[in-house]
Amino acid sequence: MSQRYVDENIKVLEGLDPVRKRPGMYIGSTGLEGLHHLIWEIFDNAVDEVISGSADQIKITLKKDNSVIIEDNGRGIPLGVNKTTGLSTIDTVFTVLHAGGKFDSDAYKTAGGLHGVGASVVNALSEWLIVTVKKDGKVNEARYENGGHIKQPAKTIGSTNRTGTTVQFKADSSIFRSIVFNPAIVRERIRETAFLYKGLKIILNNEIDNNEETFESKEGISEYVDFINDGKTSLNKTAYFSGISLDKIEVEIAFQYTTSSNETIISFANSVKTREGGSHETAFKTALTETINEYARKWKLLKEKDKNFEGDDVREGLTAIVSIRVPEKLIAYEGQTKNKLFTQEAYNAVKKIFSGKLNYWLEENKKYAEKIISKAIVSRDARIAAKKAREDIKKIKNAGKYGYILNSKLTPAQSKVYMNNELFLVEGDSAGGSAKLARDKKHQAILPLRGKVINSEKAKLSDLLSNEEICTIMSCIGAGIGADFNIEDCKYGKVIIMTDADVDGAHIRTLLLTFFYRFMKPLIEHRRIFIALPPLYRVTNKTNKQLFYAWDEQQLNSLKKKNPNCEIQRYKGLGEMSAEQLKQTTMNVDNRQLINVSIEDAALAERRVNILMGDNASLRKEWIDNNIDFSLVEE
């Protein structure tokens, strides 16, 4: 029987109601990413004042009540009345969708926020929001509550000789899964923006941790590249190019090659990080490949019989920042979250400017050019060897060496709905045996690992493909490796690392995370990697034989108080737990605790992996000495 469908079913959402009804359409999600997007919307408006040349300082304060303050010293929102809405301009900006100065090219030549919904969307999704504007010698303030309803219309509350806009808001807990902001995520965005605008001072005041940091860059994106590559062995001094196209698109590019095998390209459009790239990033990659091939052919660094380098060959070991500023009339993002740029003019501008500048740079820096091309040749040869190794593995998928390893070690899940399945990577055959008995046969697969896997930070792809444990993991996940990895082919919704709670277990976990970060990074980016948290202690009440578990010292002390006559067992390994105990505490979806691995600060993650897992032992020792309190380490 069909549902009733009449005139009364047609609902008209007024004001900011559409945002509260479908928040994902405006901020992407109601999870952690969407929550932080509220800050970015207001922060982008402050940065737009910097772009216009009207501001040179921004301050973000994370308050203990989970509210946030974003303050700039720009021009300030106009204080008059908007002719279209009849409301003050401040109230219009914060309560009417698609209202703002970004539609007027006389007010903003280029801007990160262009849809005119940023401020009003934040207001719609907040429990309360207060905006204070300093302009024309006056201080005006307005307050909104319960999703953007005007509690106090904008009015003059004082006088001043300064200008700027301050917005304080508290996200609505009835909409977001959590309203607790992560300082590391905010710090990454602030650091990036400071690198993008020389002379801009950005202050992060974290009142929760009673910590204040100031971010300011003198060298801009060149300094950003150096920051990412700190600790790596470079092949060239960081190169910096800039230019402006006939369309008034400003292009800035900085790059450096290192001896590592990893590629890091971070792109921005009007200060907004384009995480999924887009036309400007594609143009950079295309121009890089074409120009290096042309140079190598011209100077006969490529043999006549050799094919041209592929993109992956010339990008191995590359760290690059691509930043463009596009006039408002040309900019086109994919959706409100602005993760991908679609502007065709940006492709043309970046390709033309970068091709010309890079060609000149290669000619003027032949020593660097030869090093880069020599590295590309090594990369090409390794790619060909790795391709052959992958083909060999496919041929013996169900027979021979690797086929035997896969079939004998993996205990598969029964369900064919891959996203509902979980792959447990378990340390040791003993724990693997318990995990097999403890698992949910329908959705949980078990892969025991023997010993420590190879350190992927120090290994090339060809080395990994000759490693049994890595090949087994790759075959089980089924989505390829390196440049060939395709998240759509992954056979599991979750890949869970389950190791012993000791030093060796931590080392194995770190090696696996390094492998996923370097060669299956989309698994981390799509939040598919997890760390299992088995308990550290089992507490047995001697009187009634009741069992309890503790995951840390605080829980243990609490259990000891409640059960004074008890026996305590410290688990040193998963193998000490029975299958029932492992199931009850670590594998059962109703009881277990998991850590979801994510990349919150891309530049910092790159530096940290390189320092802790790379070849430079002195840097690693320095980091450990500065960051580890050995008095807290168990003997």
Side-chain angles (χ1 to χ4, degrees):
M1 182 178 179
S2 62
Q3 290 182 302
R4 184 170 175 266
Y5 185 51
V6 295
D7 294 324
E8 288 73 16
N9 293 130
I10 306 301
K11 304 298 181 184
V12 178
L13 300 177
E14 298 181 349
L16 300 179
D17 289 343
V19 183
R20 295 181 64 82
K21 184 71 174 176
R22 296 285 187 269
M25 291 177 59
Y26 295 87
I27 59 170
S29 74
T30 55
L32 195 65
E33 186 174 346
L35 176 70
H36 287 80
H37 196 82
L38 299 184
I39 295 182
W40 311 152
E41 288 290 357
I42 304 299
F43 182 64
D44 286 349
N45 290 340
V47 172
D48 290 339
E49 288 295 291
V50 176
I51 296 174
S52 72
S54 306
D56 61 6
Q57 181 171 303
I58 301 171
K59 184 175 182 179
I60 297 181
T61 302
L62 303 179
K63 305 287 287 184
K64 291 183 178 179
D65 65 354
N66 293 321
S67 68
V68 182
I69 302 173
I70 299 107
E71 179 182 2
D72 69 63
N73 63 349
R75 293 166 292 183
I77 300 171
L79 302 180
V81 175
N82 183 273
K83 295 179 181 179
T84 302
T85 65
L87 299 171
S88 71
T89 300
I90 294 174
D91 290 336
T92 299
V93 167
F94 281 87
T95 64
V96 179
L97 289 174
H98 305 291
K102 311 301 165 57
F103 299 112
D104 188 339
S105 60
D106 291 332
Y108 291 93
K109 299 298 182 184
T110 64
L114 75 158
H115 297 293
V117 298
S120 54
V121 163
V122 175
N123 198 10
L125 301 177
S126 294
E127 180 182 324
W128 53 263
L129 183 147
I130 301 170
V131 56
T132 305
V133 177
K134 299 173 183 177
K135 189 178 181 71
D136 301 334
K138 301 176 183 177
V139 180
N140 274 31
E141 185 177 275
R143 181 181 178 96
Y144 314 95
E145 295 181 357
N146 301 321
H149 295 284
I150 298 176
K151 178 70 174 179
Q152 174 195 301
K155 67 176 184 179
T156 301
I157 62 170
S159 59
T160 183
N161 59 359
R162 299 184 178 183
T163 61
T165 302
T166 301
V167 177
Q168 181 176 8
F169 68 90
K170 184 175 183 179
D172 194 329
S173 59
S174 68
I175 291 177
F176 294 94
R177 294 197 287 271
S178 169
I179 61 169
V180 179
F181 291 96
N182 186 324
I185 296 176
V186 180
R187 186 181 297 109
E188 178 194 15
R189 181 64 174 268
I190 287 175
R191 183 191 292 120
E192 289 172 349
T193 305
F195 280 131
L196 293 178
Y197 296 96
K198 300 175 186 177
L200 168 62
K201 180 185 291 186
I202 309 179
I203 301 167
L204 174 59
N205 181 19
N206 182 357
E207 292 189 357
I208 300 169
D209 297 332
N210 195 27
N211 181 46
E212 184 170 291
E213 300 172 86
T214 299
F215 299 84
E216 190 172 10
S217 173
K218 294 181 180 179
E219 302 298 328
I221 62 173
S222 295
E223 193 175 337
Y224 194 4
V225 170
D226 293 339
F227 172 81
I228 295 172
N229 286 346
D230 184 30
K232 297 181 181 180
T233 302
S234 63
L235 297 183
N236 66 283
K237 184 180 179 180
T238 299
Y240 171 81
F241 307 137
S242 65
I244 185 167
S245 71
L246 294 176
D247 297 311
K248 304 300 181 185
I249 296 175
E250 299 174 39
V251 178
E252 278 191 289
I253 294 172
F255 74 86
Q256 183 183 60
Y257 280 88
T258 71
T259 56
S260 76
S261 59
N262 309 302
E263 167 194 332
T264 303
I265 299 176
I266 305 176
S267 61
F268 301 87
N270 293 358
S271 85
V272 178
K273 180 189 277 186
T274 41
R275 296 180 183 275
E276 297 176 24
S279 52
H280 56 329
E281 190 172 314
T282 300
F284 167 78
K285 292 178 179 179
T286 301
L288 179 73
T289 305
E290 290 179 355
T291 306
I292 287 181
N293 272 309
E294 289 171 3
Y295 182 87
R297 291 289 181 197
K298 176 181 177 181
W299 294 102
K300 301 189 180 341
L301 298 174
L302 270 177
K303 298 176 183 177
E304 288 187 14
K305 64 178 181 179
D306 290 339
K307 292 182 179 179
N308 277 352
F309 294 125
E310 294 186 2
D312 291 337
D313 301 334
V314 301
R315 294 197 303 272
E316 182 174 296
L318 173 71
T319 299
I321 306 297
V322 179
S323 176
I324 65 171
R325 296 169 195 170
V326 184
E328 184 274 327
K329 64 181 181 180
L330 296 178
I331 194 129
Y333 293 106
E334 180 183 58
Q336 170 64 10
T337 54
K338 312 181 186 95
N339 281 330
K340 191 172 185 178
L341 185 72
F342 279 144
T343 304
Q344 179 61 35
E345 290 87 350
Y347 178 93
N348 299 332
V350 172
K351 190 170 186 296
K352 182 177 181 180
I353 291 171
F354 183 54
S355 294
K357 300 273 187 179
L358 177 60
N359 182 63
Y360 180 80
W361 184 86
L362 291 170
E363 294 288 354
E364 292 296 309
N365 295 274
K366 285 185 164 52
K367 180 178 68 174
Y368 293 152
E370 289 175 1
K371 287 182 179 180
I372 292 169
I373 290 170
S374 293
K375 183 173 180 61
I377 291 172
V378 172
S379 174
R380 177 201 63 194
D381 294 344
R383 170 176 54 81
I384 294 171
K387 181 179 180 181
K388 184 179 184 303
R390 285 194 295 269
E391 291 173 349
D392 290 342
I393 291 173
K394 289 178 182 178
K395 290 177 184 177
I396 56 176
K397 189 174 182 181
N398 297 313
K401 184 178 179 183
Y402 294 107
Y404 173 76
I405 292 169
L406 176 59
N407 293 335
S408 65
K409 294 179 71 174
L410 176 70
T411 302
Q414 295 173 351
S415 174
K416 300 302 181 184
V417 183
Y418 290 160
M419 281 302 296
N420 294 338
N421 290 347
E422 302 173 344
L423 174 64
F424 280 80
L425 302 178
V426 185
E427 175 188 354
D429 291 333
S430 175
S434 296
K436 290 176 186 178
L437 296 174
R439 73 190 180 105
D440 169 3
K441 294 182 179 180
K442 185 174 182 181
H443 295 299
Q444 292 179 335
I446 308 298
L447 179 62
L449 301 177
R450 187 178 295 110
K452 296 177 180 177
V453 300
I454 188 172
N455 183 354
S456 304
E457 185 68 6
K458 299 179 180 180
K460 293 187 177 295
L461 182 56
S462 55
D463 298 326
L464 293 175
L465 291 173
S466 63
N467 181 273
E468 292 184 1
E469 296 297 306
I470 293 295
C471 283
T472 304
I473 294 171
M474 182 184 73
S475 298
C476 290
I477 292 175
I481 190 172
D484 294 334
F485 187 86
N486 184 356
I487 190 70
E488 300 298 326
D489 294 332
C490 181
K491 295 180 180 179
Y492 299 94
K494 291 184 175 71
V495 176
I496 302 172
I497 301 170
M498 189 163 70
T499 61
D500 293 344
D502 59 10
V503 173
D504 283 339
H507 191 199
I508 292 170
R509 183 167 63 245
T510 302
L511 289 168
L512 287 169
L513 288 173
T514 302
F515 166 66
F516 289 129
Y517 178 74
R518 286 302 183 209
F519 293 95
M520 294 185 177
K521 198 171 184 178
L523 281 178
I524 300 178
E525 294 172 334
H526 286 77
R527 309 294 287 263
R528 305 273 277 272
I529 299 292
F530 294 81
I531 297 172
L533 291 179
L536 294 177
Y537 302 96
R538 184 181 70 174
V539 178
T540 306
N541 186 311
K542 291 183 179 180
T543 304
N544 57 21
K545 304 302 180 184
Q546 191 172 0
L547 293 179
F548 303 93
Y549 299 93
W551 276 260
D552 55 36
E553 296 293 334
Q554 185 177 353
Q555 289 181 335
L556 176 63
N557 292 332
S558 176
L559 287 172
K560 286 163 67 176
K561 288 180 181 179
K562 295 177 182 178
N563 302 273
N565 184 21
C566 65
E567 178 183 342
I568 300 171
Q569 178 186 354
R570 169 66 160 92
Y571 287 123
K572 289 294 184 181
L574 297 170
E576 296 182 14
M577 304 175 72
S578 68
E580 183 57 35
Q581 292 168 358
L582 189 61
K583 177 179 180 179
Q584 182 181 350
T585 63
T586 313
M587 297 183 68
N588 188 300
V589 294
D590 296 325
N591 303 325
R592 71 189 184 188
Q593 299 181 41
L594 298 177
I595 296 175
N596 191 190
V597 180
S598 63
I599 301 172
E600 295 176 349
D601 187 330
L604 189 59
E606 181 64 30
R607 281 164 52 93
R608 192 65 47 80
V609 170
N610 175 60
I611 289 172
L612 295 181
M613 305 303 292
D615 290 320
N616 195 323
S618 60
L619 271 178
R620 181 159 50 251
K621 181 179 183 300
E622 180 183 352
W623 187 91
I624 292 172
D625 288 342
N626 292 334
N627 291 276
I628 303 299
D629 184 351
F630 287 98
S631 67
L632 300 177
V633 179
E634 290 186 15
E635 296 182 359

